[in-house]
Protein backbone atom coordinates (compact mmCIF):
# COMPACT_ATOMS: atom_id res chain seq x y z
CA UNK A 1 0.00 0.00 0.00
CA UNK A 2 1.51 3.29 -1.12
CA UNK A 3 -0.74 5.42 1.07
CA UNK A 4 -0.98 8.90 -0.45
CA UNK A 5 2.20 8.47 -2.42
CA UNK A 6 2.73 7.84 -6.13
CA UNK A 7 5.47 5.29 -5.55
CA UNK A 8 6.75 3.01 -2.84
CA UNK A 9 10.02 4.88 -3.01
CA UNK A 10 8.30 8.17 -2.17
CA UNK A 11 6.38 6.53 0.67
CA UNK A 12 9.55 4.96 2.05
CA UNK A 13 11.49 8.22 1.87
CA UNK A 14 8.73 10.02 3.76
CA UNK A 15 8.41 7.25 6.33
CA UNK A 16 11.94 7.76 7.55
CA UNK A 17 11.26 10.03 10.52
CA UNK A 18 8.87 7.38 11.81
CA UNK A 19 10.87 4.21 11.15
CA UNK A 20 14.20 5.71 12.18
CA UNK A 21 12.45 6.96 15.33
CA UNK A 22 11.21 3.45 16.01
CA UNK A 23 14.69 2.01 15.41
CA UNK A 24 16.36 4.60 17.64
CA UNK A 25 13.80 3.90 20.40
CA UNK A 26 14.75 0.22 20.22
CA UNK A 27 18.43 0.95 20.89
CA UNK A 28 18.12 3.78 23.37
CA UNK A 29 17.02 3.90 26.98
CA UNK A 30 15.37 7.30 26.84
CA UNK A 31 15.06 7.81 30.59
CA UNK A 32 18.71 6.98 31.23
CA UNK A 33 20.06 8.74 28.13
CA UNK A 34 22.04 5.63 27.26
CA UNK A 35 22.22 3.16 24.39
CA UNK A 36 20.99 -0.39 24.93
CA UNK A 37 21.96 -3.46 22.97
CA UNK A 38 20.08 -6.78 22.70
CA UNK A 39 21.04 -9.30 25.38
CA UNK A 40 22.30 -11.76 22.78
CA UNK A 41 25.05 -9.29 21.85
CA UNK A 42 27.55 -11.00 24.11
CA UNK A 43 30.56 -9.14 22.73
CA UNK A 44 33.07 -7.67 25.16
CA UNK A 45 34.33 -4.74 23.11
CA UNK A 46 37.32 -4.29 25.42
CA UNK A 47 38.69 -7.53 23.99
CA UNK A 48 37.93 -6.73 20.36
CA UNK A 49 40.88 -5.61 18.24
CA UNK A 50 39.12 -4.91 14.98
CA UNK A 51 35.74 -4.77 13.30
CA UNK A 52 35.53 -6.32 9.88
CA UNK A 53 32.53 -5.18 7.83
CA UNK A 54 31.09 -6.55 4.62
CA UNK A 55 27.95 -5.78 2.60
CA UNK A 56 26.78 -4.86 -0.90
CA UNK A 57 25.55 -1.68 -2.53
CA UNK A 58 23.76 0.75 -0.27
CA UNK A 59 24.30 -1.48 2.79
CA UNK A 60 28.06 -1.29 2.05
CA UNK A 61 27.85 2.50 2.09
CA UNK A 62 26.18 2.31 5.51
CA UNK A 63 29.24 0.30 6.56
CA UNK A 64 31.57 2.97 5.16
CA UNK A 65 29.81 5.62 7.27
CA UNK A 66 30.02 3.35 10.31
CA UNK A 67 33.78 3.05 9.86
CA UNK A 68 34.09 6.73 10.84
CA UNK A 69 31.92 6.15 13.90
CA UNK A 70 33.74 3.03 15.14
CA UNK A 71 37.14 4.62 14.63
CA UNK A 72 36.24 7.99 16.12
CA UNK A 73 33.97 7.03 18.99
CA UNK A 74 35.37 3.62 19.97
CA UNK A 75 38.94 3.87 18.61
CA UNK A 76 38.34 0.51 16.94
CA UNK A 77 40.15 -0.19 13.66
CA UNK A 78 37.77 -1.10 10.85
CA UNK A 79 38.37 -3.21 7.78
CA UNK A 80 35.61 -3.05 5.20
CA UNK A 81 35.02 -4.43 1.73
CA UNK A 82 32.19 -5.18 -0.65
CA UNK A 83 31.03 -8.73 -0.11
CA UNK A 84 31.86 -9.93 -3.64
CA UNK A 85 35.52 -9.12 -2.91
CA UNK A 86 35.53 -10.01 0.78
CA UNK A 87 34.43 -13.59 0.13
CA UNK A 88 37.39 -14.32 -2.14
CA UNK A 89 40.22 -12.13 -0.90
CA UNK A 90 41.38 -14.57 1.77
CA UNK A 91 41.59 -11.94 4.47
CA UNK A 92 43.24 -13.22 7.66
CA UNK A 93 40.76 -13.28 10.54
CA UNK A 94 41.39 -13.56 14.26
CA UNK A 95 39.39 -14.64 17.28
CA UNK A 96 39.63 -11.01 18.49
CA UNK A 97 37.78 -9.76 15.38
CA UNK A 98 34.12 -8.97 15.28
CA UNK A 99 32.69 -9.47 11.81
CA UNK A 100 29.68 -7.32 10.95
CA UNK A 101 27.34 -7.88 8.00
CA UNK A 102 24.75 -5.38 6.88
CA UNK A 103 21.80 -6.38 4.70
CA UNK A 104 18.24 -5.21 4.23
CA UNK A 105 17.00 -8.53 2.84
CA UNK A 106 19.36 -10.79 4.79
CA UNK A 107 19.54 -12.98 1.69
CA UNK A 108 22.22 -11.35 -0.46
CA UNK A 109 24.37 -14.21 -1.77
CA UNK A 110 27.77 -12.50 -1.55
CA UNK A 111 27.10 -11.12 1.92
CA UNK A 112 26.02 -14.55 3.14
CA UNK A 113 29.15 -16.14 1.64
CA UNK A 114 31.29 -13.51 3.40
CA UNK A 115 29.52 -14.30 6.67
CA UNK A 116 30.30 -18.00 6.26
CA UNK A 117 33.93 -17.22 5.47
CA UNK A 118 34.25 -15.11 8.64
CA UNK A 119 32.50 -17.76 10.70
CA UNK A 120 34.91 -20.42 9.49
CA UNK A 121 37.76 -18.05 10.45
CA UNK A 122 36.55 -17.94 14.05
CA UNK A 123 35.29 -14.32 14.24
CA UNK A 124 32.12 -13.44 16.19
CA UNK A 125 29.32 -12.72 13.73
CA UNK A 126 27.00 -9.74 14.09
CA UNK A 127 24.44 -8.74 11.53
CA UNK A 128 22.32 -5.68 10.94
CA UNK A 129 19.31 -6.93 8.99
CA UNK A 130 15.81 -5.76 8.20
CA UNK A 131 14.30 -9.23 7.80
CA UNK A 132 14.69 -11.04 11.13
CA UNK A 133 13.80 -14.46 9.66
CA UNK A 134 16.42 -14.21 6.90
CA UNK A 135 19.32 -16.58 6.33
CA UNK A 136 21.92 -14.00 7.37
CA UNK A 137 20.02 -13.38 10.62
CA UNK A 138 19.77 -17.11 11.32
CA UNK A 139 23.47 -17.72 10.80
CA UNK A 140 24.67 -14.82 12.97
CA UNK A 141 25.81 -14.98 16.59
CA UNK A 142 23.79 -11.84 17.31
CA UNK A 143 21.30 -9.91 15.21
CA UNK A 144 20.77 -6.17 15.45
CA UNK A 145 17.46 -5.63 13.68
CA UNK A 146 16.55 -2.50 11.75
CA UNK A 147 12.90 -1.68 12.26
CA UNK A 148 12.30 -0.15 8.84
CA UNK A 149 9.34 -2.41 8.02
CA UNK A 150 9.05 -4.00 4.56
CA UNK A 151 10.97 -2.08 1.90
CA UNK A 152 9.29 -2.51 -1.48
CA UNK A 153 11.01 0.04 -3.72
CA UNK A 154 14.03 -1.58 -5.35
CA UNK A 155 16.23 1.40 -4.46
CA UNK A 156 16.99 1.17 -0.77
CA UNK A 157 16.07 4.26 1.26
CA UNK A 158 14.59 3.75 4.72
CA UNK A 159 16.57 0.55 5.28
CA UNK A 160 19.77 2.58 4.78
CA UNK A 161 18.97 5.24 7.38
CA UNK A 162 17.76 2.61 9.85
CA UNK A 163 21.05 0.73 9.32
CA UNK A 164 22.90 3.96 10.12
CA UNK A 165 20.86 4.44 13.32
CA UNK A 166 21.71 0.92 14.53
CA UNK A 167 25.37 1.28 13.60
CA UNK A 168 25.73 4.59 15.44
CA UNK A 169 24.10 3.10 18.54
CA UNK A 170 26.50 0.14 18.31
CA UNK A 171 29.53 2.43 17.95
CA UNK A 172 28.42 4.37 21.03
CA UNK A 173 27.99 1.12 22.98
CA UNK A 174 31.46 0.00 21.87
CA UNK A 175 32.95 3.37 22.87
CA UNK A 176 31.40 3.17 26.30
CA UNK A 177 32.63 -0.39 26.83
CA UNK A 178 36.15 0.55 25.72
CA UNK A 179 36.24 3.69 27.85
CA UNK A 180 36.78 5.99 24.87
CA UNK A 181 33.46 7.70 25.64
CA UNK A 182 32.45 9.05 29.02
CA UNK A 183 28.93 8.86 30.39
CA UNK A 184 28.51 12.52 29.42
CA UNK A 185 29.74 11.83 25.90
CA UNK A 186 27.19 9.06 25.68
CA UNK A 187 24.38 11.35 26.83
CA UNK A 188 25.33 13.91 24.21
CA UNK A 189 25.48 11.31 21.44
CA UNK A 190 22.20 9.75 22.51
CA UNK A 191 20.48 13.12 22.44
CA UNK A 192 21.90 13.66 18.93
CA UNK A 193 20.51 10.28 17.90
CA UNK A 194 17.12 11.13 19.36
CA UNK A 195 17.08 14.40 17.41
CA UNK A 196 17.32 12.57 14.07
CA UNK A 197 13.61 11.99 13.29
CA UNK A 198 12.80 15.69 13.84
CA UNK A 199 15.74 16.75 11.67
CA UNK A 200 14.67 14.30 8.98
CA UNK A 201 11.22 15.88 8.97
CA UNK A 202 12.93 19.26 8.50
CA UNK A 203 15.10 17.88 5.68
CA UNK A 204 11.99 16.58 3.90
CA UNK A 205 10.86 20.19 3.56
CA UNK A 206 13.58 20.64 0.95
CA UNK A 207 11.49 18.53 -1.42
CA UNK A 208 9.90 21.44 -3.30
CA UNK A 209 13.33 22.96 -4.02
CA UNK A 210 14.66 19.59 -5.14
CA UNK A 211 11.68 19.09 -7.46
CA UNK A 212 12.64 22.38 -9.07
CA UNK A 213 16.12 21.01 -9.76
CA UNK A 214 14.94 17.85 -11.47
CA UNK A 215 14.52 19.45 -14.90
CA UNK A 216 18.14 20.71 -14.90
CA UNK A 217 19.55 17.44 -13.62
CA UNK A 218 17.54 15.38 -16.10
CA UNK A 219 19.45 17.03 -18.97
CA UNK A 220 22.82 15.95 -17.63
CA UNK A 221 24.75 13.04 -19.06
CA UNK A 222 27.02 12.87 -16.04
CA UNK A 223 26.63 14.06 -12.47
CA UNK A 224 29.37 14.23 -9.84
CA UNK A 225 28.70 13.92 -6.13
CA UNK A 226 31.33 15.18 -3.70
CA UNK A 227 31.70 14.84 0.05
CA UNK A 228 34.39 14.65 2.71
CA UNK A 229 34.53 12.60 5.86
CA UNK A 230 31.21 10.93 6.54
CA UNK A 231 29.69 12.82 3.61
CA UNK A 232 32.00 10.89 1.26
CA UNK A 233 30.14 7.57 1.55
CA UNK A 234 26.98 9.61 1.26
CA UNK A 235 28.25 10.99 -2.05
CA UNK A 236 28.71 7.39 -3.19
CA UNK A 237 25.17 6.59 -2.08
CA UNK A 238 23.70 9.67 -3.80
CA UNK A 239 25.41 8.70 -7.05
CA UNK A 240 24.22 5.09 -6.78
CA UNK A 241 20.61 6.18 -6.21
CA UNK A 242 20.70 8.51 -9.22
CA UNK A 243 22.20 5.99 -11.62
CA UNK A 244 19.92 3.16 -10.47
CA UNK A 245 16.64 4.91 -11.09
CA UNK A 246 17.33 7.68 -13.63
CA UNK A 247 20.08 5.88 -15.64
CA UNK A 248 22.13 9.09 -15.62
CA UNK A 249 25.81 8.33 -15.16
CA UNK A 250 26.84 9.53 -11.72
CA UNK A 251 30.04 9.21 -9.68
CA UNK A 252 30.67 9.86 -6.04
CA UNK A 253 34.09 11.16 -5.05
CA UNK A 254 35.91 12.17 -1.92
CA UNK A 255 36.05 15.95 -2.43
CA UNK A 256 39.81 15.98 -1.90
CA UNK A 257 40.31 13.51 -4.74
CA UNK A 258 38.89 15.97 -7.24
CA UNK A 259 42.22 17.38 -8.31
CA UNK A 260 43.64 13.89 -8.78
CA UNK A 261 41.56 13.29 -11.87
CA UNK A 262 37.84 13.97 -11.92
CA UNK A 263 38.29 17.74 -12.14
CA UNK A 264 39.13 17.09 -15.79
CA UNK A 265 35.45 16.29 -16.32
CA UNK A 266 34.15 19.60 -15.00
CA UNK A 267 32.43 21.97 -17.39
CA UNK A 268 29.05 23.68 -17.53
CA UNK A 269 27.32 20.47 -18.61
CA UNK A 270 28.26 18.48 -15.49
CA UNK A 271 26.24 19.25 -12.36
CA UNK A 272 28.28 18.78 -9.18
CA UNK A 273 26.28 17.94 -6.09
CA UNK A 274 28.22 18.81 -2.96
CA UNK A 275 27.10 17.29 0.33
CA UNK A 276 28.57 19.63 2.93
CA UNK A 277 27.40 19.32 6.52
CA UNK A 278 28.82 21.94 8.91
CA UNK A 279 31.51 19.64 10.30
CA UNK A 280 35.25 19.87 10.91
CA UNK A 281 36.06 19.52 7.19
CA UNK A 282 33.45 21.97 5.86
CA UNK A 283 36.05 24.63 4.96
CA UNK A 284 38.04 22.07 2.99
CA UNK A 285 34.94 21.12 1.05
CA UNK A 286 34.34 24.81 0.33
CA UNK A 287 37.77 25.14 -1.26
CA UNK A 288 37.00 22.13 -3.45
CA UNK A 289 33.76 23.85 -4.47
CA UNK A 290 35.72 26.94 -5.42
CA UNK A 291 37.88 24.81 -7.69
CA UNK A 292 34.74 23.48 -9.37
CA UNK A 293 33.21 26.94 -9.70
CA UNK A 294 36.43 28.31 -11.22
CA UNK A 295 36.09 25.76 -14.03
CA UNK A 296 32.53 26.67 -14.81
CA UNK A 297 31.05 23.73 -12.91
CA UNK A 298 27.43 24.06 -11.81
CA UNK A 299 27.17 23.34 -8.11
CA UNK A 300 24.22 22.13 -6.11
CA UNK A 301 25.18 22.70 -2.50
CA UNK A 302 23.43 20.64 0.14
CA UNK A 303 24.21 22.24 3.50
CA UNK A 304 23.07 24.53 6.27
CA UNK A 305 21.72 27.78 4.82
CA UNK A 306 24.01 30.10 6.80
CA UNK A 307 27.06 28.00 5.97
CA UNK A 308 26.15 28.05 2.29
CA UNK A 309 25.87 31.87 2.42
CA UNK A 310 29.18 32.23 4.22
CA UNK A 311 30.88 29.93 1.73
CA UNK A 312 30.13 32.56 -0.93
CA UNK A 313 30.63 30.17 -3.82
CA UNK A 314 28.49 30.64 -6.91
CA UNK A 315 26.00 27.79 -7.02
CA UNK A 316 23.20 26.70 -9.33
CA UNK A 317 21.10 25.91 -6.24
CA UNK A 318 21.32 25.42 -2.51
CA UNK A 319 19.36 22.72 -0.74
CA UNK A 320 18.96 23.93 2.83
CA UNK A 321 19.47 21.54 5.73
CA UNK A 322 18.78 22.27 9.39
CA UNK A 323 21.63 22.79 11.87
CA UNK A 324 22.68 19.61 13.66
CA UNK A 325 25.41 17.77 15.52
CA UNK A 326 27.64 16.65 12.59
CA UNK A 327 27.89 13.10 13.98
CA UNK A 328 24.33 12.39 12.80
CA UNK A 329 24.59 14.29 9.50
CA UNK A 330 24.74 11.11 7.37
CA UNK A 331 21.24 10.13 8.48
CA UNK A 332 19.76 13.51 7.64
CA UNK A 333 21.71 14.24 4.44
CA UNK A 334 20.57 10.88 3.05
CA UNK A 335 17.15 12.47 2.54
CA UNK A 336 18.13 15.12 -0.03
CA UNK A 337 20.33 12.53 -1.77
CA UNK A 338 17.31 10.22 -2.10
CA UNK A 339 14.95 13.02 -3.14
CA UNK A 340 17.32 14.26 -5.85
CA UNK A 341 17.39 10.80 -7.43
CA UNK A 342 13.65 10.28 -7.02
CA UNK A 343 12.55 13.59 -8.55
CA UNK A 344 15.04 13.43 -11.40
CA UNK A 345 13.91 9.92 -12.35
CA UNK A 346 10.25 10.91 -11.95
CA UNK A 347 10.71 13.95 -14.18
CA UNK A 348 12.29 11.68 -16.79
CA UNK A 349 9.32 9.32 -16.63
CA UNK A 350 11.32 6.34 -15.35
CA UNK A 351 9.87 3.48 -13.35
CA UNK A 352 11.33 4.48 -9.98
CA UNK A 353 10.06 1.47 -8.04
CA UNK A 354 11.17 -1.13 -10.61
CA UNK A 355 14.32 0.10 -12.33
CA UNK A 356 15.47 -1.96 -15.29
CA UNK A 357 17.84 -4.88 -14.73
CA UNK A 358 17.64 -4.69 -10.94
CA UNK A 359 16.15 -7.09 -8.40
CA UNK A 360 15.22 -6.24 -4.83
CA UNK A 361 17.14 -9.16 -3.45
CA UNK A 362 20.26 -10.54 -5.13
CA UNK A 363 20.30 -14.18 -4.07
CA UNK A 364 22.68 -15.37 -6.77
CA UNK A 365 26.33 -14.48 -7.09
C1 LIG B 1 20.61 0.16 -3.85
C2 LIG B 1 20.24 -1.18 -3.43
C3 LIG B 1 21.26 -2.26 -3.47
C4 LIG B 1 21.23 -3.05 -2.17
C5 LIG B 1 22.19 -4.25 -2.24
C6 LIG B 1 22.25 -5.01 -0.93
O1 LIG B 1 19.55 1.05 -3.79
O2 LIG B 1 19.12 -1.40 -3.05
O3 LIG B 1 22.54 -1.74 -3.72
O4 LIG B 1 21.57 -2.19 -1.13
O5 LIG B 1 21.78 -5.12 -3.26
O6 LIG B 1 21.02 -5.57 -0.60
P1 LIG B 1 20.75 -6.10 0.86
O7 LIG B 1 20.80 -4.93 1.76
O8 LIG B 1 19.39 -6.73 0.80
O9 LIG B 1 21.84 -7.08 1.20
Amino acid sequence: DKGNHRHFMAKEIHEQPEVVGRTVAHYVDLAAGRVKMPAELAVDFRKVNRIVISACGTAYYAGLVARYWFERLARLPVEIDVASEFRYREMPLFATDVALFISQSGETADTLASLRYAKAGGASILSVVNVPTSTIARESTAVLPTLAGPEIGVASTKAFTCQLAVLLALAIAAGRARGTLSERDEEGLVSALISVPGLMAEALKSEADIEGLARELSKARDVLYLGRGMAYPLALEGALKLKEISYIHAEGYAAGELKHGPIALIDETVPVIVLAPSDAVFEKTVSNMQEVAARGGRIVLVGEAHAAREAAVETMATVAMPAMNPIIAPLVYAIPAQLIAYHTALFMGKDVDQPRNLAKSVTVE
Side-chain angles (χ1 to χ4, degrees):
D1 177 20
K2 295 178 205 152
N4 302 325
H5 297 280
R6 288 172 73 177
H7 299 99
F8 283 107
M9 186 177 176
K11 171 179 176 263
E12 290 162 1
I13 290 172
H14 283 268
E15 254 172 12
Q16 290 176 106
E18 183 193 333
V19 298
V20 169
R22 194 197 302 157
T23 303
V24 167
H26 190 76
Y27 291 93
V28 159
D29 178 339
L30 282 172
R34 307 199 53 179
V35 288
K36 60 172 202 251
M37 287 292 133
E40 66 182 76
L41 183 83
V43 175
D44 181 352
F45 277 102
R46 287 169 303 182
K47 299 196 177 116
V48 174
N49 287 335
R50 179 174 74 154
I51 299 201
V52 172
I53 306 178
S54 183
C56 299
T58 290
Y60 168 68
Y61 296 145
L64 283 182
V65 172
R67 175 168 67 179
Y68 291 82
W69 288 329
F70 285 120
E71 292 185 345
R72 229 170 252 180
L73 304 177
R75 308 305 295 158
L76 256 175
V78 174
E79 177 70 53
I80 173 165
D81 209 347
V82 289
S84 55
E85 289 300 318
F86 185 102
R87 64 182 294 188
Y88 294 120
R89 66 183 256 203
E90 301 178 26
M91 180 197 289
L93 288 164
F94 306 95
T96 51
D97 286 335
V98 163
L100 176 67
F101 302 90
I102 308 165
S103 176
Q104 187 284 127
S105 63
E107 301 296 347
T108 301
D110 284 325
T111 309
L112 178 59
S114 297
L115 180 156
R116 289 176 177 160
Y117 174 84
K119 209 171 189 177
S124 314
I125 310 295
L126 304 187
S127 62
V128 175
V129 295
N130 198 41
V131 181
T133 52
S134 61
T135 314
I136 288 176
R138 281 200 312 274
E139 297 196 13
S140 302
T141 322
V143 181
L144 301 172
T146 48
L147 307 182
E151 190 180 64
I152 312 292
V154 164
S156 185
T157 53
K158 62 176 181 170
F160 175 67
T161 46
C162 286
Q163 286 160 356
L164 292 178
V166 174
L167 291 164
L168 178 51
L170 182 64
I172 298 168
R176 280 295 282 144
R178 292 166 64 78
T180 54
L181 295 176
S182 67
E183 204 173 313
R184 269 195 65 193
D185 294 333
E186 180 177 19
E187 277 168 23
L189 289 162
V190 164
S191 75
L193 199 48
I194 292 167
S195 73
V196 169
L199 292 165
M200 285 181 145
E202 283 294 310
L204 282 165
K205 293 184 187 156
S206 66
E207 184 156 22
D209 290 340
I210 289 174
E211 256 186 278
L213 272 174
R215 173 190 298 273
E216 261 323 286
L217 294 176
S218 71
K219 292 188 232 154
R221 204 186 58 172
D222 311 285
V223 175
L224 279 184
Y225 284 75
L226 301 180
R228 264 181 194 263
M230 291 187 279
Y232 163 43
L234 223 64
L236 299 173
E237 168 63 2
L240 176 64
K241 285 286 94 88
L242 186 69
K243 62 191 141 192
E244 274 186 296
I245 62 171
S246 75
Y247 317 136
I248 295 173
H249 170 241
E251 294 283 347
Y253 266 99
E257 274 291 291
L258 195 65
K259 56 169 80 64
H260 300 289
I263 199 158
L265 295 172
I266 305 289
D267 64 21
E268 58 291 341
T269 68
V270 182
V272 181
I273 298 175
V274 184
L275 302 167
S278 292
D279 56 14
V281 288
F282 177 77
E283 292 304 327
K284 306 262 178 207
T285 307
V286 169
S287 33
N288 300 126
M289 276 196 299
Q290 275 151 351
E291 291 157 10
V292 172
R295 284 155 188 89
R298 290 182 315 148
I299 298 164
V300 176
L301 174 56
V302 184
E304 294 178 20
H306 70 91
R309 268 194 307 278
E310 285 154 26
V313 180
E314 200 181 316
T315 60
M316 164 169 114
T318 301
V319 176
M321 291 291 106
M324 69 194 74
N325 181 335
I327 202 84
I328 46 110
L331 290 108
V332 182
Y333 282 64
I335 291 200
Q338 295 161 353
L339 288 172
I340 288 170
Y342 175 74
H343 283 290
T344 304
L346 188 66
F347 183 82
M348 295 169 82
K350 305 300 183 199
D351 184 348
V352 288
D353 281 339
Q354 291 286 336
R356 70 186 181 205
N357 308 342
L358 292 173
K360 183 66 187 158
S361 178
V362 184
T363 53
V364 290
E365 190 172 1

